[in-house]
Amino acid sequence: MTLEFRTQEVSQDMLARTRKVIAVHINYPSRAAQRGRTPEQPSYFLKPSSSLALGSADVPGTVERPAGCELLGYEGEIALVMGKSARRVGLEDAWSHVQWVTASNDLGVYDLRYADKGSNVRSKGGDGFTPVGPALIPADAVDPAGLRIRAWHNGDLVQDDTTEDLLFPFAQLVADLSQLLTLEEGDIILTGTPAGASVAKPGDVVEIEVTGGDFSSGRLATKVTEGTTPFADFGAQPKTDDTQREEAYGSREAAGLAPAGSASVLTPELKAKLESVATATLSSQLRKRGLNNVSIDGLQATRPDRKVVGLARTLRYVPNREDLFKSHGGGFNAQKRAIDSVNEGEILVMEARGEKGTGTVGDILALRAQVRGAAAIITDGGVRDYSAVANLEMPTYFANPHPAVLGRRHIPWDTDITIACGGATVQPGDIIVADSDGILVIPPAIAGELVDDCIQQEKEETFIFRMVQEGNSVDGLYPMNKEWQARYQEWSAQQSPEGASGD
């Protein structure tokens, strides 16, 4: 039997017969890691059948972002279409009740999540918020643990995962739901989304495809349009905040928000001051404040002549374990998410446990960080494609070159958390200062007073240097005794603003 004969197109008649759409909250390990929570059992919500929309392989369908809303989230999902009713079925029999598999986009507006907390009635139930199709894959011809789901946003691949390591396999979802309610012919189960779901704006096109063996659902394309009819004043109004933006985009950084707690501490004025002083001076002033463990040690630089100042973003690798690499190492993993969300002037700091036996970043991802405006990459692990990375304008600090790929020793695990790099603890939003003398981690709360004291110290050292040039002994001069302090004050008062800054 040919694939063409066994594959059918989703029809409007089929959607009209669908009585209920049931969606799973979290089912992919990558999504659980992104959300920071892993459920012990599946949980569900209902979407009205009126939210269904017919998918097209040729011309994108449309979905309206309601007027006044900001956050229309998309989620690529595998949809199961029931072929016969199921009531209290067992795990071994559950999959036989599924007739078709296809692609779906579980759309929703985060602006209305507050209105029906937990039920998602308004946030997920809008007309057209569940496009499905375009083609139906026969369920009995594919392995439910061997399917692949991919999503593209304006042509860029943003979601890519498989059903091999689902938290709750598809048969379990069918059997679990059937314990309490009857799944009827035509009912649709949306089986969860992997990491990488984000926000689409008017004019954007989102495409979803499910594949299994030689079968494909085709690309389910949906174009976002802008709604023009405002909400009536007798119901819930759209509203959002940074928490919802973070949830919708997947991270604070993807939403264009500063890392939690960092605010905008690194003002242009503070950055300029930090760039004007040496790390040796900063280290001295940090020690005076009791901070002795704030240097990232043992690394070399591709651009040792550069002075780098920026806010830290963090990425943590854990030791490779093959089963976990399958769920966390592929697709839009933590490494790629960190690189693809680093912002202008930020420094991506990687915890690689000092492991030198593989690369932690290569030329393509380093280039992507540079294109996004990153000030630097710092890793206490290896670098692949060293020559290409070294030729980039953006500095990279690293332990050693190494040709091996990431998966030999590491799993990219988490982003924007407290990490250890080169013997120093680094938190998102810490200020990183690096030059040819080394790399320092500066707590943002003390940066202002610290750099002012550094400027004063370097001014004093300029005076001492000149006095030594003139033939004076360092005895009593370095450090300065009262006599030299008095002479310094006299010298300082005579300096112009330009001269006062030192050589």
Side-chain angles (χ1 to χ4, degrees):
M1 187 174 293
T2 65
L3 298 182
E4 289 77 11
F5 181 79
R6 297 213 62 196
T7 302
Q8 297 185 20
E9 296 295 310
V10 176
S11 69
Q12 198 64 57
D13 286 344
M14 186 199 89
L15 298 185
R17 292 194 299 269
T18 300
R19 298 186 62 180
K20 54 186 174 288
V21 180
I22 305 170
V24 180
H25 281 109
I26 293 178
N27 198 14
Y28 286 80
S30 62
R31 181 68 162 180
Q34 186 182 45
R35 287 295 198 220
R37 58 182 185 273
T38 301
E40 294 183 4
Q41 300 294 340
S43 62
Y44 312 92
F45 61 92
L46 285 167
K47 299 190 76 169
S49 58
S50 56
S51 71
L52 291 167
L54 189 62
S56 170
D58 302 316
V59 180
T62 59
V63 64
E64 180 184 287
R65 186 181 74 175
C69 289
E70 172 190 343
L71 303 173
L72 178 64
Y74 62 83
E75 298 177 2
E77 305 210 11
I78 297 173
L80 311 181
V81 183
M82 301 300 296
K84 56 182 178 180
S85 65
R87 177 73 166 113
R88 295 189 175 127
V89 300
L91 290 172
E92 67 286 347
D93 186 45
W95 185 245
S96 68
H97 291 257
V98 179
Q99 184 176 12
W100 304 108
V101 174
T102 191
S104 182
N105 193 342
D106 182 16
L107 293 154
V109 281
Y110 283 72
D111 312 62
L112 292 171
R113 287 177 91 194
Y114 79 96
D116 302 292
K117 192 169 180 61
S119 75
N120 291 329
V121 170
R122 276 173 281 197
S123 62
K124 290 274 194 176
D127 288 353
F129 277 19
T130 316
V132 293
L136 295 163
I137 299 171
D140 62 0
V142 294
D143 177 5
L147 299 173
R148 183 183 186 189
I149 174 78
R150 288 181 292 173
W152 294 263
H153 185 183
N154 293 333
D156 294 329
L157 181 65
V158 292
Q159 292 185 280
D160 187 356
D161 215 330
T162 72
T163 57
E164 183 178 7
D165 296 305
L166 291 177
L167 299 176
F168 313 111
F170 292 162
Q172 180 180 346
L173 300 179
V174 174
D176 183 41
L177 286 166
S178 77
Q179 301 309 297
L180 193 61
L181 56 91
T182 299
L183 294 171
E184 301 167 293
E185 180 181 355
D187 284 352
I188 293 175
I189 301 173
L190 305 184
T191 56
T193 193
S198 189
V199 171
K201 299 177 180 180
D204 289 357
V205 175
V206 179
E207 299 170 282
I208 316 293
E209 182 182 17
V210 175
T211 54
D214 295 325
F215 292 92
S216 169
S217 67
R219 289 201 185 186
L220 170 67
T222 305
K223 185 173 183 177
V224 180
T225 63
E226 182 69 275
T228 57
T229 304
F231 284 86
D233 59 8
F234 48 75
Q237 300 297 305
K239 66 178 182 180
T240 191
D241 55 27
D242 285 353
T243 298
Q244 293 305 315
R245 293 184 182 95
E246 179 180 357
E247 288 274 306
Y249 282 92
S251 70
R252 293 183 62 83
E253 292 64 42
L257 304 171
S262 69
S264 56
V265 64
L266 190 60
T267 63
E269 179 185 11
L270 177 57
K271 185 172 184 288
K273 286 183 176 181
L274 288 166
E275 289 171 339
S276 74
V277 298
T279 54
T281 311
L282 287 164
S283 179
S284 174
Q285 288 295 329
L286 286 163
R287 284 198 307 274
K288 288 182 179 180
R289 289 162 171 79
L291 293 169
N292 295 300
N293 300 301
V294 288
S295 63
I296 297 176
D297 297 332
L299 306 186
Q300 52 186 306
T302 59
R303 297 283 180 177
D305 57 317
R306 299 290 177 85
K307 181 67 171 283
V308 176
V309 178
L311 290 180
R313 297 283 304 284
T314 60
L315 167 64
R316 179 167 68 103
Y317 297 110
V318 298
N320 185 30
R321 202 178 88 185
E322 287 75 7
D323 60 323
L324 294 177
F325 192 88
K326 288 180 180 180
S327 59
H328 289 77
F332 198 53
N333 59 34
Q335 180 199 42
K336 293 177 182 177
R337 294 198 304 272
I339 292 286
D340 217 46
S341 63
V342 67
N343 296 312
E344 183 82 25
E346 293 178 335
I347 297 173
L348 180 58
V349 186
M350 300 179 178
E351 175 186 336
R353 311 176 311 284
E355 169 56 59
K356 299 180 179 181
T358 190
T360 54
V361 68
D363 57 346
I364 293 176
L365 291 183
L367 176 61
R368 176 59 176 159
Q370 176 176 284
V371 168
R372 287 194 58 83
I377 290 175
I378 299 173
T379 173
D380 61 357
V383 165
R384 292 185 72 224
D385 313 306
Y386 170 73
S387 295
V389 173
N391 284 329
L392 295 176
E393 286 297 312
M394 178 195 69
T396 295
Y397 300 81
F398 61 102
N400 60 286
H402 200 284
V405 296
L406 180 74
R408 181 169 183 253
R409 298 284 172 83
H410 300 295
I411 306 172
W413 195 257
D414 208 351
T415 61
D416 293 315
I417 59 170
T418 300
I419 64 167
C421 181
T425 297
V426 183
Q427 294 191 299
D430 280 344
I431 297 174
I432 305 294
V433 181
D435 65 13
S436 56
D437 275 348
I439 308 167
L440 293 176
V441 182
I442 300 175
I446 68 169
E449 69 169 53
L450 179 80
V451 75
D452 286 342
D453 287 349
C454 287
I455 291 171
Q456 178 61 32
Q457 178 181 328
E458 291 196 349
K459 183 179 176 182
E460 292 176 0
E461 289 175 351
T462 297
F463 169 76
I464 294 169
F465 186 85
R466 291 182 178 179
M467 293 304 100
V468 172
Q469 272 186 323
E470 293 175 5
N472 292 284
S473 171
V474 294
D475 184 27
L477 174 60
Y478 187 54
M480 290 186 287
N481 58 23
K482 288 184 178 180
E483 180 183 346
W484 277 112
Q485 282 284 355
R487 293 181 63 177
Y488 165 73
Q489 294 298 334
E490 182 180 337
W491 173 86
S492 179
Q494 295 173 355
Q495 300 308 300
S496 65
E498 291 80 8
S501 64
D503 290 339

